[in-house]
Amino acid sequence: MRRLTKKKALTLVKELDAFPKVPGSYVESTASGGTVSLIAFTFMAVLAFFEFFVYRHTWMKYEYEVDRDFSSKLRINVDITVAMRCQYIGADVLDLAETMVASDGLQYEPVNFELPPQQRIWHMTLLHIQERLRVEHALQDVIFKAAIKGAPPAQTKSEDSTASLSACRIHGHLYVNKVAGNFHITVGKSIPHPRGHAHLAALVSHDSYNFSHRIDHLSFGEPLPGIISPLDGTEKIAADSNHMFQYFITIVPTKLNTYKVSADTHQYSVTERERVINHAAGSHGVSGIFMKYDISSLMVKVTEQHMPLWQFLVRLCGIIGGIFSTTGMIHGLVGFLVDVVCCRFQMGIYKPKDDLTAQESSETLLPAENYTE
């Protein structure tokens, strides 16, 4: 009974075979079939090759959520060159809570405003990248993935005496509260004040005011490769000694997670405005460089992703099976049409006109011969 049961089970399994085997004696190989097979295999190899590159390709996924981190400090990275002597200007931060942040992390270095040739090349390259980023926003994804941003050439100290250096490079970083604030560079060193703060500008002549400046770098958060800030490479020339430059910045917290970089940082957008201070014409204010920043309540999560392995295998099987089935159907259809046309010619359905005329003349002569006989 057990053997009969096993035989019945094997018989049932054989009946369910979706891939029946054809004996070799019933298979006929043809030249046309071999040609179609070579073409099909070539297409399979080419498409599988390109599919592998699609599998290797990655893209950036952007997600948004509410930023719940309100207790941490915000780092400001600064590298700005102002066309005034260091003893005439001061930089500090005043936040929305009227809290003045000490600028101990900033260094004042006397330099020349004009860049050396090597640094000028780097500056022009950075401006070109900024121009392309404004036109092609997808280029930022490439920069994220490649992390191509390198450090600019180190500024070599000038051999000239400090007295001949007419510009000041303010660089370094400082930590501020994670609230809206105002980072500014204006005339005179800052001093604490019960109602905020003040700058000692009385001893500086108005004729020496020149707030032409170059922003080599301005970013928020930990500095990371792959992020080029919108103000990097910005250069402004003041047309008047009493000139105000304003930058309105919106900071967006960003979590960056790529195959090369994984960190928390900040991106920002900026709107620029500048005007000449002329109290007689109603244009009031203080000469200087003012960067008013605000922090967005939304956080952006940037994640680098690529196609899963199982999806790649499914697409690969689809390519191989689809080409194999399609070429088989086309080969069968062409063979059927060729067989139909050849059989019709062999059966005499399509005969030349000369043969038909000769046949008709022979049929007309036969009755006359019979009559003579």
Side-chain angles (χ1 to χ4, degrees):
M1 292 295 293
R2 290 183 178 178
R3 291 182 178 179
L4 292 175
T5 305
K6 288 183 178 180
K7 287 183 178 180
K8 289 181 179 180
L10 290 174
T11 304
L12 180 61
V13 172
K14 288 181 180 180
E15 291 177 356
L16 296 175
D17 186 10
F19 307 99
K21 307 299 184 294
V22 181
S25 58
Y26 295 104
V27 178
E28 181 182 0
S29 300
T30 61
S32 61
T35 304
V36 173
S37 299
L38 288 175
I39 296 174
F41 291 148
T42 304
F43 271 106
M44 289 179 191
V46 172
L47 292 181
F49 180 75
F50 284 113
E51 189 66 25
F52 177 74
F53 278 95
V54 173
Y55 169 70
R56 291 289 304 275
H57 175 71
T58 60
W59 64 89
M60 308 306 294
K61 180 181 179 182
Y62 291 84
E63 298 176 306
Y64 303 90
E65 62 182 36
V66 177
D67 183 21
R68 296 179 176 85
D69 182 15
F70 54 85
S71 59
S72 62
K73 294 289 186 178
L74 177 65
R75 171 170 169 161
I76 304 179
N77 307 295
V78 179
D79 191 350
I80 301 176
T81 302
V82 184
M84 289 182 66
R85 297 184 183 275
C86 293
Q87 62 266 27
Y88 294 158
I89 58 177
D92 56 12
V93 177
L94 186 66
D95 62 20
L96 194 61
E98 299 295 331
T99 303
M100 189 180 73
V101 180
S103 57
D104 298 338
L106 299 180
Q107 300 178 13
Y108 296 78
E109 179 183 345
V111 294
N112 287 318
F113 190 75
E114 293 298 326
L115 289 173
Q118 186 180 7
Q119 291 180 343
R120 177 58 64 180
I121 293 174
W122 166 260
H123 183 259
M124 297 302 294
T125 304
L126 191 58
L127 289 179
H128 181 68
I129 295 175
Q130 293 281 24
E131 181 181 356
R132 300 310 304 169
L133 281 172
R134 295 187 186 97
V135 178
E136 302 177 10
H137 300 287
L139 184 60
Q140 183 62 57
D141 292 350
V142 180
I143 296 175
F144 274 144
K145 290 186 289 186
I148 62 173
K149 181 183 177 184
Q155 291 192 5
T156 56
K157 293 186 177 181
S158 176
E159 297 179 355
D160 300 335
S161 61
T162 306
S164 63
L165 300 176
S166 59
C168 182
R169 179 190 174 204
I170 304 174
H171 60 96
H173 65 273
L174 43 87
Y175 290 92
V176 299
N177 297 322
K178 207 171 180 180
V179 295
N182 181 4
F183 171 75
H184 52 270
I185 302 173
T186 187
V187 179
K189 302 297 180 181
S190 61
I191 57 173
H193 191 272
R195 295 183 179 180
H197 76 296
H199 287 261
L200 295 175
L203 302 178
V204 182
S205 173
H206 282 76
D207 297 334
S208 62
Y209 287 13
N210 184 5
F211 283 99
S212 301
H213 62 279
R214 180 177 59 255
I215 304 175
D216 294 314
H217 181 68
L218 178 69
S219 65
F220 300 86
E222 296 297 326
L224 295 175
I227 294 183
I228 297 179
S229 301
L231 287 177
D232 289 358
T234 300
E235 186 173 274
K236 299 290 185 179
I237 303 299
D240 191 89
S241 58
N242 292 327
H243 210 101
M244 174 188 285
F245 296 92
Q246 293 176 304
Y247 300 93
F248 300 93
I249 299 172
T250 301
I251 304 171
V252 182
T254 304
K255 283 188 176 181
L256 183 61
N257 186 12
T258 68
Y259 293 110
K260 292 186 177 181
V261 178
S262 179
D264 295 342
T265 184
H266 295 76
Q267 300 181 90
Y268 65 86
S269 60
V270 60
T271 302
E272 304 175 12
R273 186 172 180 265
E274 60 180 89
R275 59 189 175 92
V276 176
I277 303 300
N278 188 347
H279 299 286
S283 178
H284 304 291
V286 179
S287 302
I289 305 166
F290 298 86
M291 299 180 180
K292 300 180 180 181
Y293 60 88
D294 195 4
I295 302 175
S296 174
S297 59
L298 292 179
M299 180 176 62
V300 180
K301 295 176 67 177
V302 185
T303 308
E304 185 178 5
Q305 295 183 337
H306 72 91
M307 183 189 300
L309 179 61
W310 65 267
Q311 188 175 353
F312 167 69
L313 296 176
V314 169
R315 290 167 64 100
L316 196 62
C317 292
I319 289 173
I320 296 174
I323 294 178
F324 188 81
S325 301
T326 304
T327 53
M329 289 188 294
I330 293 174
H331 179 253
L333 179 61
V334 173
F336 173 75
L337 295 176
V338 170
D339 291 341
V340 169
V341 173
C342 292
C343 289
R344 280 184 155 180
F345 273 112
Q346 289 176 1
M347 293 173 63
I349 295 177
Y350 298 103
K351 290 186 177 181
K353 291 183 178 181
D354 296 340
D355 296 345
L356 292 174
T357 305
Q359 185 177 358
E360 290 176 356
S361 61
S362 62
E363 290 177 353
T364 53
L365 290 174
L366 282 176
E369 293 177 354
N370 294 334
Y371 179 76
T372 305
E373 291 179 355

